[in-house]
Amino acid sequence: MRLAARLRLSAARLGSRSRALSAAPVRFQTIADEPLLEVACLRREAAVIEGAPVVVERDTTRALLDALADLAARPAAELAAPTLDGDTDWELDGFTTYSSKSFRLTCARSGAARRPLPRRDAYLLTGPRGAGKSVALATVVSWARANGWLALYVPRGWDVANAGDYVVPSPHHAGMFEEPRGSRALLEAFDAAHGGQLAAVAVKDETVADRWGAATLRELLDAALAKDRLDEASTALSDLRFELGRATEFPVLLAVDEYTSFLGRTDYFYDHARLAPADLVAVSALAPLGAAGVPEAHRLARGCAVLADSWSRGPPGMGDGDKRKAAPHAPFELKLGAYSRDEFRAALDRYKAAGYFEADLDAHDVAELEMATQRNPQHLFDRLAMM
């Protein structure tokens, strides 16, 4: 029996034996892509629960997926207009916001997702540690790939800015540096996920075409992954990213986790001098949201960027105020907090149906779990492990 069917059946049986835990229909997303298991909490679930990780579909995540589906359905010509224009009045929890500036402040403070989300060149997922930002980002990547998008996914932004083996001066970008092995790993992961689609995407920049002798992205990756061009891997990653920005053959997603790592400093040195993020070819290509918003060069002709903030992976000494100066969160911000009550109870239904815990829970048990975990998804998984 398929996992989704077992979940529905088990949840139904649970409701017949005891007081129903979930007042709303249970909605899940299945994360089936193996590379997405690099997200620690998904890998942890996969290790102890049978089947691919199945996560509660957060309300904010659903609003974001709806926005991406709407974007994919539009002709590319409709997507050329700036995305901060044309915000209209809207209502939230009984009061009305007026035009874009009020919307930005209200959205940032409330943590509620506007319905429908306005189209943006980038969305920035924020929230406290453990709120599920990485899971939400992985959910978006999984959905995009399942729906025919090209998704360039960076699961650990901190590694890009800090954890490479070495850096070398770029032969193609004066004054900038390549980080070969990390960039190559991202190219290989993208190739594994989308290799079959890339022959249909033409290389549109003549400089890029000449550099790699490539007419398509398939040929670009084949040339870039040759062993004798390892030290040009960051340039290849940059060329790929900006060619994806020009592509209209498929919708395109740029997904970067731990995005805060791109906003401060790096741990790379060259000639005893610390390098800034802008000195790295890879970071410069993968950082679409800066202090002035999304520059024209970083816009995607048919797609958008989804970025996840990181409280634990920011540069030393960077507080919330510094983050907001480095990247203007509103109007790009989508806040994730603890589960709502319905989401929390849906998560309990899912874990119960999957056999992660066996105890029958009544309303008092559920209330105690809510208090003990503050409805934090990560704490819930840990707490249930002790039952």
Side-chain angles (χ1 to χ4, degrees):
M1 184 183 298
R2 293 176 59 87
L3 177 61
R6 291 206 310 273
L7 290 175
R8 289 193 295 269
L9 178 60
S10 297
R13 289 174 177 170
L14 174 63
S16 66
R17 287 200 307 268
S18 60
R19 300 181 67 172
L21 298 180
S22 180
V26 179
R27 301 184 69 176
F28 298 113
Q29 280 281 348
T30 300
I31 310 296
D33 298 285
E34 187 66 25
L36 300 185
L37 296 186
E38 293 184 24
V39 178
C41 51
L42 294 179
R43 184 171 63 249
R44 182 179 61 174
E45 285 203 17
V48 298
I49 298 178
E50 179 186 356
V54 179
V55 299
V56 171
E57 183 182 87
R58 308 296 305 277
D59 179 71
T60 299
T61 308
R62 171 44 50 190
L64 180 54
L65 295 180
D66 288 344
L68 296 183
D70 176 70
L71 183 155
R74 296 189 186 194
E78 289 187 12
L79 305 178
T83 61
L84 297 185
D85 290 351
D87 276 343
T88 57
D89 298 346
W90 61 291
E91 292 187 359
L92 173 67
D93 296 337
F95 61 90
T96 304
T97 70
Y98 298 96
S99 74
S100 59
K101 288 185 179 179
S102 295
F103 156 65
R104 298 167 194 178
L105 292 175
T106 303
C107 185
R109 290 170 179 168
S110 70
R114 182 179 178 180
R115 295 287 188 159
L117 281 182
R119 185 173 66 85
R120 294 289 184 253
D121 293 319
Y123 298 97
L124 180 63
L125 299 172
T126 67
R129 186 174 184 177
K133 300 183 293 297
S134 295
V135 173
L137 187 65
T139 301
V140 170
V141 174
S142 181
W143 176 92
R145 288 176 174 170
N147 284 275
W149 289 51
L150 296 174
L152 180 56
Y153 176 48
V154 183
R156 294 185 298 275
W158 189 87
D159 287 0
V160 176
N162 299 277
D165 292 342
Y166 63 97
V167 294
V168 295
S170 174
H172 304 290
H173 301 271
M176 299 181 71
F177 295 84
E178 312 257 343
E179 192 288 290
R181 297 196 184 280
S183 295
R184 185 184 178 90
L186 292 175
L187 292 172
E188 290 172 340
F190 181 80
D191 188 22
H194 300 291
Q197 296 169 273
L198 301 184
V201 184
V203 172
K204 299 174 177 62
D205 185 280
E206 292 184 3
T207 300
V208 174
D210 291 343
R211 177 155 42 231
W212 304 103
T216 67
L217 292 189
R218 173 71 275 151
E219 294 173 356
L220 188 159
L221 274 183
D222 287 343
L225 292 175
K227 292 181 179 179
D228 61 348
R229 304 197 74 170
L230 174 62
D231 284 353
E232 302 170 76
S234 291
T235 289
L237 180 62
S238 177
D239 287 346
L240 171 66
R241 181 262 173 268
F242 287 111
E243 281 300 313
L244 289 173
R246 302 178 186 101
T248 55
E249 293 89 344
F250 300 98
V252 174
L253 172 70
L254 172 64
V256 182
D257 204 352
E258 300 176 355
Y259 189 71
T260 309
S261 304
F262 292 173
L263 304 181
R265 71 181 201 188
T266 79
D267 285 341
Y268 296 117
F269 289 80
Y270 191 80
D271 282 346
H272 308 291
R274 185 188 294 273
L275 301 183
D279 295 329
L280 298 176
V281 173
V283 171
S284 294
L286 297 173
L289 184 60
V294 179
E296 180 65 28
H298 278 268
R299 294 189 63 208
L300 298 168
R302 190 185 174 199
C304 76
V306 180
L307 319 167
D309 191 9
S310 175
W311 282 28
S312 59
R313 287 293 200 177
M318 175 174 275
D320 286 344
D322 295 322
K323 289 181 186 179
R324 292 183 181 275
K325 290 177 183 177
H329 288 43
F332 306 97
E333 182 175 18
L334 294 176
K335 293 185 73 173
L336 284 169
Y339 283 163
S340 69
R341 180 154 290 158
D342 284 344
E343 289 171 335
F344 183 83
R345 294 182 178 183
L348 286 176
D349 283 343
R350 178 269 185 278
Y351 286 131
K352 175 75 174 182
Y356 186 54
F357 70 96
E358 297 180 354
D360 288 330
L361 303 179
D362 60 21
H364 296 290
D365 296 326
V366 173
E368 288 181 5
L369 275 173
E370 287 189 58
M371 295 181 62
T373 64
Q374 295 297 295
R375 293 197 223 131
N376 182 300
Q378 186 167 301
H379 294 166
L380 176 60
F381 183 90
D382 295 338
R383 187 82 178 187
L384 292 176
M386 298 184 290
M387 296 182 64

